[in-house]
Amino acid sequence: MKPLPSSSKTVIIGGGIVGCSTAYHLAKLGVECVLLERQKLTSGTTFHAAGLVGQLRSNANITQLLGYSVDLYNRIEVETGLGTGWKMNGGLRLACNEDRWTEVKRQATTAHSFGLEMELLTPREALDLWPLMNIDDLVGAAFMPTDGQANPSDITQALAKGARMAGAQIFEDCRVNDLEIEKGVIKAVLTDQGRIECEKVVLCAGQWSRNFAARFGVNVPLVSMEHQYMVTEAIADMPANLPTLRDPDRLTYYKEEVGGLVMGGYESNPIPWAVDGIPKGFHYTLLDSNYDHFEQLMELALGRVPALETAGVKTLTNGPESFTPDGNFIIGEAPELRNFYVGAGFNAFGIAAGGGAGMALAEWVDKGEPPYDLWSADIRRFGRPHFDTDWVRTRTVEAYGKHYTIAWPLEENTSGRPCRKSPLYDVLAEQGACFGEKLGWERPNWFAGPGNEAKDIYSFGRGNWFDAVGREHRAAREAAVLFDQSSFAKFSLKGPDSLTALNWICANNVDRPVGTLVYTQMLNDKGGIECDLTVARVAEDEFYIVTGTGFATHDFDWITRNIPKGLNCQLFDVTSASAVLSLMGPKARDILASVTRADLSNAAFPFATTQTIGIAGCPVRALRVTYVGELGWELHLPVEYASTVYNVLKKAGRDHGLTNAGYRAIESLRLEKGYRAWGSDIGPDHTPLESGLGWAMKIKGNTPFKGREAIAAQQEKGVKKRLAGFVMDDENVVLHGRETIFRNGKRVGWLTSGGFGYTIGKSIGYGYVRNPDGVSVAFVKDGQYELEVASERLPCTVFLAPLHDPTMARIKA
């Protein structure tokens, strides 16, 4: 047996498809790497994967990542000489009711937005492609010709050979026992065959990843679930080029294999596995077939493929796989431990994602950042609730059960709730709040009126909350509203070097007098927007930072990792210490003035400043800022005062038309005002110049900041994409995001967000207009635009200036 090397720059733990793909790509980049597999390659969960390779997801970059897998699988066999079982035989998706057909048509539009070919078919056309099926209940179908299928073990072995050919070393039957860590720095991997000194570790251990990572304080939210599929004997007249088939209304999927069929699915009552831990020595092992549990899928499948009734059953494979609470995989550098990377939790599409995930992980390890924005799969999207395995499992069971259900716009999860509650939760529930959940926090989405139930009824059209949100929206524009935004992530940066550190990390100038509020982005070295937040200077050496609920882990990690070495300052997460009541609307000053002695005049308390004021015995940090485009204050106060201050404000606002409002009204209001949302409109792939936020940078001075050089270069060369707004000419058209943008008949991008503007009475969308030769303001304005909505192209009007209060007169009143 070849001895282990004494050192390697990078060590990969786990020899499934993701680990081998990572080794392949690291070696191709010239990075020294060793892969360690405790048993044999593929012996964890890869060997029993079904092997369907689909590409389309609701996120452009995840779709791009899956597309990379297809490109890799197309060429790896020629490169290595090893067969992979890869067939690009296309993928067919069925729709059996009108709601599903609407979803499929919107998915086809999403595919077109992302540059993929996806064709809508009649039931008869679908039958021509898949002659084994019954189409009696079929409304329509969609076909993607570049989807396919593969043999998971063969592809993994090909990637492993390619990795070795490029210089990677792979060791089987080598168990990793521990990591050697000194003062938070990884020094070595300790195995049953010796010690390997290393700088970086990449954990690709599948369902074993959570427990292993937890030993070093790293949270990897995944659990094991049983997943079954059946393989039949040969079926007569089986076409060799049969496309893969997904029949979500019957919860099942199919692929051809050696003249027979593989059939599996996602039942609504899945079975968690290894609740008390994975048994020792579990490898190349399957679970006992559970025919009783599989029967529900079999009954559904028989209605689609009558030939299954007489087909012989070769095997019923029951293999545990790792699933996550939101159905997306987990990738990236752990925020808890530098140079510790994770690629795990692939939710039964590890073969489809394996090639691209390995590429992305390798780039991340080599360059310190991913090749493009992978926020929807980033390990930093998780937070406090995800440390509890029972909570993770509860939510993951729901995610598994919804794998093939209709993905409704704005659909909320129902499991594991309530988890994190504002002090006002019970009060707001009594007043008709319909709550949503973000990172475990219960947040009012909208408030039901008299005679209405506070419950979402989902639709691809306008949900049952449409009128209620309209009432809240108009109250914000005409009177005043109160938002409970206690879930905001809040940080305190303290220390003598806090200004120096923050002014380096922030693109805008935070070197302002105490009491100043600054809206700013934090950029990566490419100029992309990593954080979008508000900074209040509350003392000479202290800053109060407020960011979005879902970005708590990500933004805390970004700030801490980018404080220059040697500077004396510390970042603290103070989220749970403060409740936040946002009082917004033209009557906000009148209401607030009636409950405090503070001078709230524009001269004494101007926009973009903060003061501590008193309300009912409570010291309130009042921030004069807005995300809805109206006069108002965010009131940050100790949690124990929340109900008192809320009641005082409600009483004071009674004669001014003050009402409760929720997050869906915030979304509608911000769309009219043109405010950007991180994670959709802006992110690491978008610069301030591209997204219309160039005004929020200190680029004119000589002050250095992270990302400055990239911004300066872009200023000189111009941008190739620019964020623009679109208003539908037809007020009845509903936008959800990902609709395709056409300029003068040519596809130029897609919507990053969409919704309804109640003040203007029309649907509004935002998206980037792209052109490789450059995009100027004139280029945007000179075009004639259409949006493809559910596969239909419809006229719209482009805009760049905010639709509401473009001069900010109302905000600064």
Coordinates of all heavy atoms in Angstrom, one line a residue, residues 351-383:
I351 N -25.7 13.6 -8.1 CA -25.0 13.3 -9.4 C -25.2 14.5 -10.4 O -24.3 14.9 -11.1 CB -25.7 12.0 -10.0 CG1 -25.6 10.9 -9.0 CG2 -24.9 11.6 -11.3 CD1 -24.3 10.6 -8.3
A352 N -26.4 15.1 -10.4 CA -26.6 16.2 -11.2 C -25.7 17.4 -10.8 O -25.2 18.1 -11.7 CB -28.1 16.6 -11.1
A353 N -25.5 17.6 -9.5 CA -24.8 18.7 -9.0 C -23.3 18.4 -8.9 O -22.5 19.3 -8.8 CB -25.3 19.1 -7.7
G354 N -22.9 17.1 -8.9 CA -21.5 16.7 -8.5 C -20.4 17.4 -9.3 O -19.5 17.9 -8.7
G355 N -20.6 17.5 -10.6 CA -19.5 18.1 -11.4 C -19.4 19.5 -11.1 O -18.3 20.0 -10.9
G356 N -20.5 20.3 -11.1 CA -20.4 21.7 -10.9 C -20.0 22.0 -9.4 O -19.3 23.0 -9.2
A357 N -20.5 21.2 -8.5 CA -20.2 21.5 -7.1 C -18.7 21.3 -6.8 O -18.1 22.1 -6.1 CB -21.0 20.6 -6.2
G358 N -18.1 20.3 -7.4 CA -16.7 20.1 -7.3 C -15.9 21.2 -7.9 O -14.9 21.7 -7.3
M359 N -16.3 21.7 -9.1 CA -15.7 22.9 -9.7 C -15.8 24.1 -8.8 O -14.8 24.8 -8.6 CB -16.4 23.2 -11.0 CG -15.9 24.4 -11.7 SD -16.7 26.0 -11.2 CE -18.4 25.6 -11.8
A360 N -17.0 24.4 -8.2 CA -17.2 25.6 -7.4 C -16.3 25.5 -6.1 O -15.7 26.4 -5.7 CB -18.6 25.7 -7.1
L361 N -16.3 24.3 -5.5 CA -15.5 24.1 -4.3 C -14.1 24.3 -4.5 O -13.3 24.9 -3.7 CB -15.8 22.7 -3.7 CG -16.8 22.6 -2.6 CD1 -17.0 21.1 -2.2 CD2 -16.4 23.4 -1.3
A362 N -13.6 23.7 -5.6 CA -12.2 23.9 -6.0 C -11.8 25.3 -6.2 O -10.7 25.8 -5.7 CB -11.8 23.1 -7.2
E363 N -12.6 26.1 -6.9 CA -12.3 27.5 -7.1 C -12.4 28.2 -5.7 O -11.5 29.1 -5.5 CB -13.4 28.1 -8.0 CG -13.3 27.6 -9.4 CD -12.8 28.7 -10.4 OE1 -12.7 29.9 -10.0 OE2 -12.5 28.3 -11.5
W364 N -13.3 27.9 -4.9 CA -13.4 28.5 -3.6 C -12.2 28.3 -2.7 O -11.6 29.2 -2.1 CB -14.7 27.9 -2.9 CG -15.5 28.9 -2.0 CD1 -15.0 29.9 -1.2 CD2 -16.9 29.0 -1.9 NE1 -16.0 30.6 -0.6 CE2 -17.2 30.0 -1.0 CE3 -17.9 28.2 -2.3 CZ2 -18.5 30.3 -0.6 CZ3 -19.2 28.5 -2.0 CH2 -19.5 29.6 -1.1
V365 N -11.7 27.0 -2.7 CA -10.5 26.7 -2.0 C -9.3 27.4 -2.5 O -8.5 27.9 -1.8 CB -10.3 25.2 -2.0 CG1 -8.9 24.8 -1.5 CG2 -11.4 24.4 -1.2
D366 N -9.2 27.4 -3.9 CA -8.0 28.0 -4.5 C -8.0 29.5 -4.4 O -6.9 30.1 -4.1 CB -8.0 27.6 -6.0 CG -6.7 28.0 -6.7 OD1 -5.6 28.0 -6.0 OD2 -6.8 28.4 -7.8
K367 N -9.1 30.2 -4.7 CA -9.1 31.6 -4.8 C -9.8 32.3 -3.6 O -9.8 33.6 -3.5 CB -9.9 32.0 -6.1 CG -9.2 31.5 -7.3 CD -9.9 32.0 -8.6 CE -9.2 31.6 -9.8 NZ -9.1 30.2 -10.1
G368 N -10.3 31.6 -2.7 CA -11.0 32.2 -1.5 C -12.4 32.7 -1.7 O -13.0 33.3 -0.8
E369 N -12.9 32.5 -2.9 CA -14.3 32.9 -3.2 C -14.8 32.0 -4.3 O -14.0 31.4 -5.1 CB -14.4 34.3 -3.6 CG -13.5 34.7 -4.8 CD -13.6 36.2 -5.1 OE1 -14.1 37.0 -4.3 OE2 -13.0 36.6 -6.2
P370 N -16.1 31.8 -4.4 CA -16.7 30.9 -5.4 C -16.6 31.6 -6.8 O -16.4 32.8 -6.9 CB -18.2 30.8 -5.0 CG -18.5 32.0 -4.2 CD -17.2 32.4 -3.5
P371 N -16.8 30.8 -7.9 CA -16.7 31.4 -9.2 C -17.8 32.4 -9.5 O -17.7 33.2 -10.4 CB -16.8 30.2 -10.1 CG -17.5 29.1 -9.3 CD -17.0 29.4 -7.9
Y372 N -18.9 32.2 -8.8 CA -20.1 33.1 -9.0 C -20.9 33.0 -7.7 O -20.7 32.1 -6.9 CB -20.9 32.9 -10.2 CG -21.1 31.4 -10.6 CD1 -21.9 30.6 -9.9 CD2 -20.4 30.9 -11.7 CE1 -22.0 29.3 -10.3 CE2 -20.5 29.6 -12.1 CZ -21.3 28.8 -11.4 OH -21.5 27.4 -11.8
D373 N -21.9 33.8 -7.6 CA -22.8 33.9 -6.4 C -23.5 32.5 -6.2 O -24.3 32.1 -7.1 CB -23.8 35.0 -6.5 CG -24.8 35.1 -5.4 OD1 -24.5 34.5 -4.3 OD2 -25.8 35.8 -5.5
L374 N -23.3 31.9 -5.1 CA -23.9 30.6 -4.8 C -24.7 30.8 -3.4 O -24.8 29.8 -2.7 CB -22.9 29.5 -4.7 CG -22.3 29.1 -6.1 CD1 -21.2 28.1 -5.9 CD2 -23.4 28.5 -7.0
W375 N -25.2 32.0 -3.2 CA -25.9 32.2 -1.9 C -26.9 31.2 -1.5 O -27.1 30.8 -0.4 CB -26.5 33.6 -1.9 CG -27.4 33.9 -0.7 CD1 -28.7 34.2 -0.8 CD2 -27.1 33.9 0.7 NE1 -29.2 34.3 0.5 CE2 -28.2 34.1 1.4 CE3 -25.9 33.6 1.4 CZ2 -28.3 34.2 2.8 CZ3 -25.9 33.6 2.8 CH2 -27.1 33.9 3.4
S376 N -27.7 30.8 -2.5 CA -28.9 29.9 -2.2 C -28.4 28.5 -1.7 O -29.1 27.8 -1.0 CB -29.8 29.7 -3.4 OG -29.1 29.0 -4.4
A377 N -27.1 28.2 -1.9 CA -26.5 26.9 -1.4 C -25.4 27.2 -0.3 O -24.9 26.2 0.2 CB -25.9 26.1 -2.5
D378 N -25.1 28.4 -0.1 CA -24.0 28.8 0.8 C -24.3 28.3 2.3 O -25.4 28.5 2.8 CB -23.9 30.3 0.8 CG -22.6 30.8 1.4 OD1 -22.2 30.4 2.5 OD2 -21.9 31.6 0.8
I379 N -23.3 27.7 2.9 CA -23.4 27.3 4.3 C -23.8 28.4 5.2 O -24.4 28.1 6.3 CB -22.1 26.6 4.7 CG1 -22.3 25.8 6.0 CG2 -20.9 27.6 4.8 CD1 -21.1 24.9 6.4
R380 N -23.5 29.6 4.9 CA -23.8 30.8 5.8 C -25.3 31.2 5.7 O -25.6 32.2 6.4 CB -22.9 31.9 5.4 CG -21.4 31.7 5.7 CD -20.5 32.7 5.2 NE -20.6 32.7 3.7 CZ -19.9 33.6 2.9 NH1 -19.2 34.5 3.5 NH2 -20.0 33.5 1.6
R381 N -26.1 30.5 5.0 CA -27.5 30.8 4.9 C -28.2 30.3 6.2 O -29.4 30.7 6.4 CB -28.2 30.3 3.7 CG -28.4 28.8 3.7 CD -28.9 28.3 2.3 NE -29.3 26.9 2.2 CZ -28.5 25.9 1.9 NH1 -27.2 26.2 1.7 NH2 -28.9 24.7 1.8
F382 N -27.6 29.5 7.0 CA -28.2 28.9 8.2 C -27.8 29.7 9.4 O -27.0 30.6 9.4 CB -27.7 27.5 8.3 CG -28.1 26.6 7.2 CD1 -27.1 26.1 6.3 CD2 -29.4 26.2 7.0 CE1 -27.4 25.2 5.3 CE2 -29.8 25.4 5.9 CZ -28.8 24.9 5.1
G383 N -28.5 29.4 10.5 CA -28.3 30.2 11.7 C -28.7 29.4 12.9 O -28.6 28.2 13.0

